[in-house]
């Protein structure tokens, strides 16, 4: 868990960003929870930067798939609390000081009052992995987290 206070002087009110990351070792996925606290209505932008040479494939319900071209491994980025499609934006990547290489980022934009909590799943699919099983895991986790939010669990 980490927290930072870099948004204390925003004109619409101050924001504190807290991030928690949990790794589910048995099922091989990460759950990221971003919590914004403070006051006011704000525009939040959530970026997942992608290294050069990887391909971004937007899917349904806001899900994005990052594909490795060399070994066909993939990563699913799944917003649990958003269904909007992300935007692919040009960014920069740097392996060394002073070196910049064009790259891309997957970006979701949310306008909301705080407090705000947005959760993300990062689900790897190994080379020759069972894509249907990984997508079934995503749906099971989406259903479980929606049920928890609605007080059904």
């Amino acid at each position: 868990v980490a927290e930072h206070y870099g948004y204390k002087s925003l004109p619409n009110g101050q924001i504190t960003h807290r991030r928690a990351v949990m790794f589910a070792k048995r099922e091989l996925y990460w759950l990221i929870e971003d919590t914004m606290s403070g006051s006011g209505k704000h525009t939040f932008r959530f970026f997942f930067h992608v290294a050069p040479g990887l391909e971004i494939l937007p899917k349904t319900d806001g899900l994005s798939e990052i594909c490795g071209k060399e070994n066909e491994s993939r990563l699913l980025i799944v917003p649990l609390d958003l269904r909007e499609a992300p935007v692919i934006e040009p960014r920069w990547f740097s392996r060394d000081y002073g070196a910049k290489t064009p790259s891309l980022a997957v970006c979701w934009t949310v306008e909301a009052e705080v407090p705000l909590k947005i959760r993300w799943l990062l689900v790897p699919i190994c080379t020759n992995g069972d894509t249907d099983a990984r997508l079934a895991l995503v749906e099971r986790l989406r259903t479980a987290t929606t049920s928890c939010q609605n007080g059904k669990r």
Side-chain angles (χ1 to χ4, degrees):
V1 176
E3 188 170 284
H4 80 85
Y5 312 97
Y7 307 120
K8 290 287 187 184
S9 60
L10 294 175
N12 294 356
Q14 63 184 15
I15 296 292
T16 298
H17 177 205
R18 178 184 175 103
R19 174 169 277 180
V21 179
M22 190 261 320
F23 177 59
K25 188 174 183 177
R26 289 184 192 264
E27 294 183 292
L28 297 175
Y29 69 87
W30 289 266
L31 174 65
I32 300 171
E33 183 175 280
D34 287 315
T35 304
M36 310 301 174
S37 59
S39 60
K41 184 176 183 176
H42 299 270
T43 300
F44 298 98
R45 300 186 76 212
F46 299 93
F47 290 94
F48 288 85
H49 295 263
V50 177
L54 299 179
E55 185 177 6
I56 302 170
L57 302 173
K59 302 292 186 182
T60 59
D61 289 334
L63 187 144
S64 288
E65 182 176 351
I66 311 302
C67 302
K69 295 177 183 177
E70 291 181 21
N71 64 6
E72 298 179 12
S73 60
R74 292 167 287 151
L75 177 69
L76 302 176
I77 302 173
V78 184
L80 292 176
D81 304 303
L82 304 171
R83 294 289 192 232
E84 296 82 11
V87 173
I88 310 304
E89 295 190 5
R91 293 286 167 193
W92 294 101
F93 177 86
S94 177
R95 283 198 193 279
D96 300 303
Y97 180 77
K100 287 173 35 174
T101 304
S103 66
L104 298 172
V106 185
C107 178
W108 285 264
T109 301
V110 178
E111 286 198 33
E113 295 274 345
V114 290
L116 173 68
K117 184 183 293 185
I118 304 287
R119 295 161 306 146
W120 312 89
L121 289 175
L122 300 181
V123 180
I125 303 175
C126 298
T127 303
N128 300 321
D130 186 346
T131 300
D132 290 337
R134 301 306 279 164
L135 289 171
L137 171 68
V138 166
E139 283 312 307
R140 183 173 60 77
L141 293 169
R142 271 187 162 174
T143 301
T145 57
T146 301
S147 296
C148 288
Q149 273 192 319
N150 295 333
K152 295 178 185 174
R153 246 184 167 193

